[in-house]
Amino acid sequence: MKDILTVFGSKTFDQKKMRERLRKETYESLMKTINEGAPLDASIADEVAQAVKEWAIENGATHYTHWFLPLTGIPAEKHDSFLDVSGSEVILKFKGKNLIKGEPDASSFPSGGLRKTANARGYTIWDPSTPIFLKEDANRVVMCIPTVFLGYHGEALDRKIPLLRSLNALDIQGKRFLKMFGIKTVKKVSSTIGPEQEYFLVDHELYKMREDLMMTGRTLFGNIPSKHQQTEECYFAPISLRVAGFMKDINNELWSLGITAKTDHNEVAPAQHETAPIFASSSVGADQNMILMDALKRMAIKNDLVALFHEKPYNGVNGSGKHNNWSITTNTGLNLTDPGDEPHKNLLFLLTLACIVKAVDENALYLRLSASVPGNDFRLGANEAPPAIISIYLGDQIANVVEQIIKTGKATYSVQGSTLDLNIPSIAPIKADCTDRNRTSPFAFTGNKFEFRMVASSSCIAECNTALNVVVASEFKNACDALENSKNFEEDAMKYIAKTLKEHQRVIFNGDGYSEEWKEEAKRRGLPNVRTYCEAISAITDPKTVEMFEAMHVLNSKELHARSEIMYENYSQTKDIEAQTAIHMVLKQYIPAVRSYALDVANEIKSFSELSSVSLNYQKSHLDTVLALINEACDKVELLKSTLAKARECEDSKEKAYLYKDLVCDAIEKVRKPIDELENIVDKDYWPVPSYQDLMFEV
Ligand code: ADP
Ligand code: MG
């Protein structure tokens, strides 16, 4: 491997390459767009296209694609070669118009009814905020141009448009907000994110033998091995040779793609890992997280492994999440979510905090939804991840300042961290943070940022960051409306902070989010505890949410309703695929295998009884148990088939999703039970698929 600095960004058309390859005026105009959000000057497109084409071809690219984030959950690409014909000559062509605009078929992507099959026209438009990058597979290099995706009438059909609009709203309201504090020179207010990505690795050959992993991303059957995560030795454990080889490849790939991969470690469950980059602006960070997931998949395959992003690949051990670290920052380097050493004196931080607390309390259900996909239901509230109840952890220092403000209308001191001295001369004393960490909170303040911890590992984080940006921008607006014309700003702001914190203190919780008591307490406080994704979907079409989205110009009512349609459909499809896979596996793999086993046992019993007078009661009773479990499995498959038929018949997307949630999910679990019992008593040589032990420990 070359050194990091040589590798870093080598596959991106980054600012350095733009400076080298573009005229000065073009470069400066583009930088203004990228760094300050100034309108893109379309007249520079041809020059940029020419420069980026030359660079890409020098680096082996034969194709280009508009790369975008449709509402499917994974990035979309359509590869066009640079090849063109001019008269009788073959040439390589890539013009400004190819850079700026593409025309994919909008009706082939989820649109929630916004696009009918016959109305196919859709557009992709270049988003210069994320650098153009090269994706290399099997020596085939494709130049990827990050774009937004919309329908013929301008309707947003992707996850990037709302994210960019939410950032715009945060910028507008953020600048207004800062102006009240006399800060007028800021050109851009934005949010920055550092997503920690968890994933599992599994041997590729074994993976191919598990239809459930291939079709659904998770195991639908299987028992946890005798040793899994009980001893807590996996977390931060030394990395195995095979995984280390993979991590070397993945870091090299991520660095070359300009992603600041920083941290790698083993996670709580066997074969579970995490990678985290250094934080970046949310539009770049959200794209880069999708690029990172794609790179993890590709590098895993290169190492005969498969990367699993499902929130719960294995029953009985921890699942995966994506901790979305989020803060509000300016182009001048100011972090509004940084309390400094004396938070009680930091009015800007306190007003920001009050707005965030209110925004989170008032939009709890929508935030819960924004962090979720169907698979997250297995994690939230299962004592391995935050509960489905949204609350904020502030830590000792900030909680104390908030308490002072609520009680007396002002805060007069900030608790400081103690010095930790072990009294071992060779070990240096250190200053402890003012605040502990809390891993049970869905939304935890961690020093100078919030960590949204409930986010699903497979989700596209443009969703949760759109949510955070829009709810906070909307609260900034409320604060500005109330305080902008104040004659006595500091006093009025403090009153506003005290009132807001008092009214929304119910959402602040510094205790153990995993405990049963918290569920009771949250209920008393009136906080929503919505256990399933399906039930949370209604939050996005709640009139309050719609009003906020429209006021912030992020999405309109029609677009939000379309998105809820897509979510219901996606939920039903996810569960339908799981159900169908379970039926296949039982009928085509498990039952035939167990039948052969049972027949061999029966023949054995027959042979034994001819040759021996010893009682065969144990063998016979074992055979009875096996046959009874086959019967039970067949019964449960029939039940699953009938619930599936019922759900499929339903035409209303919401009702349908609820049928899958209420009937099909339960029926899938019922099919699992006899099969898992059989796995424990049937000879392993007969078992048709790799066990959990094989999957988790052969990495
Ligand atoms: P943890 O100890 O929570 O596991 P990690 O070091 O794994 O922390 O990840 C923390 C993430 O938070 C990193 O991606 C880091 O760059 C990011 N981060 C740090 N400061 C900020 C900030 N101000 N805004 C957003 N993200 C931040
Ligand atoms: Mg971490």
Side-chain angles (χ1 to χ4, degrees):
M1 197 205 287
K2 293 186 213 145
D3 71 79
I4 299 181
L5 296 180
T6 314
V7 167
F8 194 83
S10 55
K11 290 185 186 164
T12 62
F13 194 61
D14 55 14
Q15 301 201 354
K16 188 163 163 266
K17 294 188 194 76
M18 290 184 199
R19 197 170 49 233
E20 284 164 7
R21 290 172 178 260
L22 297 172
R23 286 182 309 131
K24 192 159 176 275
E25 307 85 86
T26 310
Y27 171 74
E28 278 169 3
S29 158
L30 198 53
M31 285 308 111
K32 247 183 137 57
T33 300
I34 294 171
N35 296 331
E36 293 164 28
L40 178 73
D41 174 5
S43 72
I44 65 170
D46 273 329
E47 187 189 335
V48 178
Q50 176 68 16
V52 76
K53 180 191 85 176
E54 276 169 16
W55 165 76
I57 290 172
E58 279 165 28
N59 285 280
T62 50
H63 291 72
Y64 69 91
T65 179
H66 276 197
W67 181 95
F68 56 100
L69 304 174
L71 295 165
T72 51
I74 53 168
E77 312 169 357
K78 171 182 149 242
H79 303 174
D80 279 310
S81 73
F82 289 112
L83 185 141
D84 208 346
V85 205
S86 165
S88 59
E89 227 183 308
V90 173
I91 56 164
L92 298 180
K93 191 165 135 187
F94 182 69
K95 291 277 179 210
K97 63 174 197 292
N98 307 117
L99 170 66
I100 290 201
K101 189 176 122 192
E103 282 196 42
D105 177 351
S107 64
S108 300
F109 291 98
S111 78
L114 284 174
R115 300 262 69 199
K116 297 198 181 68
T117 313
N119 302 342
R121 208 178 269 284
Y123 299 109
T124 48
I125 310 178
W126 178 34
D127 167 22
S129 63
T130 302
I132 295 172
F133 61 96
L134 299 178
K135 188 172 156 183
E136 188 176 343
D137 279 314
N139 289 334
R140 184 170 179 273
V141 182
V142 179
M143 179 177 92
C144 301
I145 305 157
T147 58
V148 297
F149 176 44
L150 62 158
Y152 180 63
H153 299 288
E155 58 277 29
L157 296 177
D158 71 350
R159 300 182 196 272
K160 195 69 190 290
I161 294 174
L163 177 65
L164 293 175
R165 291 208 186 121
S166 74
L167 281 165
N168 206 27
L170 190 63
D171 180 42
I172 294 168
Q173 302 305 332
K175 281 194 282 220
R176 262 183 89 192
F177 192 79
L178 287 174
K179 236 182 218 157
M180 300 194 294
F181 292 85
I183 303 171
K184 294 176 183 155
T185 50
V186 162
K187 291 211 168 97
K188 197 165 176 183
V189 178
S190 182
S191 60
T192 39
I193 54 170
E196 303 165 44
Q197 177 72 51
E198 292 179 345
Y199 60 95
F200 279 83
L201 289 174
V202 61
D203 181 87
H204 194 179
E205 285 307 312
L206 297 177
Y207 168 86
K208 284 195 280 192
M209 293 161 79
R210 292 287 311 216
E211 186 177 336
D212 45 4
L213 278 182
M214 287 182 73
M215 296 298 129
T216 72
R218 73 178 180 107
T219 53
L220 299 169
F221 303 94
N223 295 296
I224 45 167
S226 40
K227 182 177 176 184
H228 45 96
Q229 66 182 47
Q230 318 89 313
T231 55
E232 298 184 325
E233 64 187 35
C234 295
Y235 190 61
F236 284 15
I239 290 165
S240 74
L241 281 185
R242 193 171 180 194
V243 175
F246 160 77
M247 284 180 175
K248 184 175 171 186
D249 283 346
I250 189 65
N251 279 314
N252 204 31
E253 178 70 2
L254 294 176
W255 292 331
S256 73
L257 287 163
I259 298 174
T260 52
K262 175 85 179 159
T263 308
D264 286 314
H265 64 82
N266 283 347
E267 259 296 339
V268 170
Q272 191 189 26
H273 313 279
E274 178 184 302
T275 177
I278 298 172
F279 62 100
S281 85
S282 11
S283 75
V284 174
D287 276 353
Q288 287 193 336
N289 181 250
M290 296 308 277
I291 299 170
L292 173 143
M293 287 165 81
D294 185 61
L296 281 169
K297 279 190 205 161
R298 291 185 290 116
M299 292 304 120
I301 296 290
K302 191 178 157 207
N303 285 273
D304 302 320
L305 293 163
V306 174
L308 304 175
F309 295 111
H310 195 283
E311 289 67 30
K312 196 75 178 175
Y314 304 111
N315 208 10
V317 295
N318 274 23
S320 297
K322 181 143 57 188
H323 300 164
N324 187 74
N325 294 277
W326 174 90
S327 62
I328 308 171
T329 48
T330 68
N331 66 314
T332 53
L334 177 68
N335 177 357
L336 278 72
T337 40
D338 187 348
D341 292 337
E342 295 183 300
H344 69 285
K345 290 184 185 163
N346 187 341
L347 195 64
L348 173 59
F349 170 75
L350 293 175
L351 188 57
T352 304
L353 178 71
C355 288
I356 294 175
V357 167
K358 179 167 179 227
V360 171
D361 186 27
E362 291 201 334
N363 299 285
L365 197 52
Y366 165 54
L367 285 170
R368 184 240 182 271
L369 175 68
S370 77
S372 295
V373 296
N376 222 18
D377 287 353
F378 298 106
R379 247 180 98 235
L380 299 183
N383 277 1
E384 58 173 272
I389 309 160
I390 290 270
S391 65
I392 305 181
Y393 170 82
L394 292 179
D396 303 338
Q397 188 192 49
I398 306 299
N400 172 277
V401 169
V402 166
E403 214 178 285
Q404 293 178 53
I405 296 175
I406 288 174
K407 272 200 191 126
T408 66
K410 62 179 193 302
T412 51
Y413 66 93
S414 302
V415 186
Q416 296 300 329
S418 55
T419 300
L420 299 178
D421 188 348
L422 292 171
N423 284 322
I424 304 172
S426 57
I427 307 284
I430 55 160
K431 196 165 177 308
D433 289 288
C434 320
T435 243
D436 202 353
R437 294 280 197 101
N438 184 320
R439 64 186 293 265
T440 67
S441 175
F443 196 64
F445 182 68
T446 50
N448 66 355
K449 60 184 163 44
F450 285 89
E451 187 173 357
F452 199 6
R453 299 179 58 94
M454 77 183 344
V455 182
S457 51
S458 69
S459 70
C460 171
I461 47 166
E463 289 287 309
C464 67
N465 287 299
T466 299
L468 291 173
N469 296 339
V470 77
V471 301
V472 171
S474 174
E475 263 333 302
F476 275 1
K477 178 180 184 297
N478 289 338
C480 293
D481 290 349
L483 297 168
E484 217 164 30
N485 297 320
S486 156
K487 300 270 177 293
N488 202 341
F489 175 68
E490 285 189 11
E491 204 173 291
D492 290 346
M494 205 57 218
K495 276 191 201 140
Y496 187 89
I497 293 166
K499 179 169 176 284
T500 308
L501 290 173
K502 201 173 202 162
E503 282 170 6
H504 297 281
Q505 56 180 309
R506 65 174 190 163
V507 79
I508 299 171
F509 177 62
N510 288 305
D512 177 3
Y514 291 177
S515 68
E516 278 310 308
E517 295 84 67
W518 169 231
K519 282 177 202 145
E520 290 304 312
E521 168 70 17
K523 205 168 167 183
R524 277 194 293 278
R525 294 188 189 186
L527 299 175
N529 181 5
V530 172
R531 280 303 314 270
T532 66
Y533 173 73
C534 189
E535 293 159 284
I537 297 175
S538 63
I540 200 180
T541 49
D542 184 290
K544 230 180 59 200
T545 314
V546 175
E547 198 187 317
M548 173 179 71
F549 265 84
E550 294 200 327
M552 293 291 108
H553 306 289
V554 175
L555 289 171
N556 62 32
S557 167
K558 222 167 128 191
E559 289 168 320
L560 288 166
H561 279 86
R563 273 162 208 252
S564 90
E565 251 337 82
I566 294 170
M567 288 181 204
Y568 285 125
E569 278 170 18
N570 173 258
Y571 183 83
S572 299
Q573 286 156 356
T574 305
K575 294 299 159 192
D576 195 282
I577 294 169
E578 287 180 0
Q580 210 168 294
T581 306
I583 295 170
H584 276 181
M585 287 178 76
V586 173
L587 297 183
K588 288 164 53 183
Q589 293 192 298
Y590 291 122
I591 289 186
V594 178
R595 260 203 330 252
S596 309
Y597 169 74
L599 186 62
D600 284 354
V601 172
N603 285 333
E604 264 176 32
I605 293 174
K606 228 156 81 200
S607 306
F608 290 157
S609 67
E610 281 165 16
L611 298 169
S612 162
S613 57
V614 172
S615 156
L616 293 168
N617 284 351
Y618 169 74
Q619 280 86 340
K620 283 183 188 162
S621 124
H622 175 65
L623 182 61
D624 286 347
T625 309
V626 170
L627 292 175
L629 285 168
I630 293 184
N631 280 347
E632 190 186 334
C634 292
D635 279 350
K636 298 305 177 213
V637 164
E638 288 313 311
L639 175 73
L640 179 54
K641 279 183 177 168
S642 66
T643 59
L644 198 54
K646 195 166 169 203
R648 283 178 179 173
E649 256 171 37
C650 180
E651 286 186 0
D652 179 84
S653 60
K654 182 173 176 179
E655 265 172 50
K656 193 188 194 103
Y658 272 75
L659 287 175
Y660 277 97
K661 171 177 84 68
D662 295 330
L663 303 178
V664 178
C665 285
D666 188 47
I668 295 174
E669 286 312 306
K670 287 198 168 115
V671 170
R672 174 178 196 144
K673 195 177 142 279
I675 300 295
D676 284 358
E677 280 179 42
L678 282 165
E679 188 188 21
N680 282 331
I681 56 170
V682 166
D683 187 332
K684 187 166 167 49
D685 288 343
Y686 289 78
W687 205 247
V689 300
S691 66
Y692 271 24
Q693 186 171 325
D694 304 329
L695 297 169
M696 288 186 204
F697 288 91
E698 299 234 350
V699 177

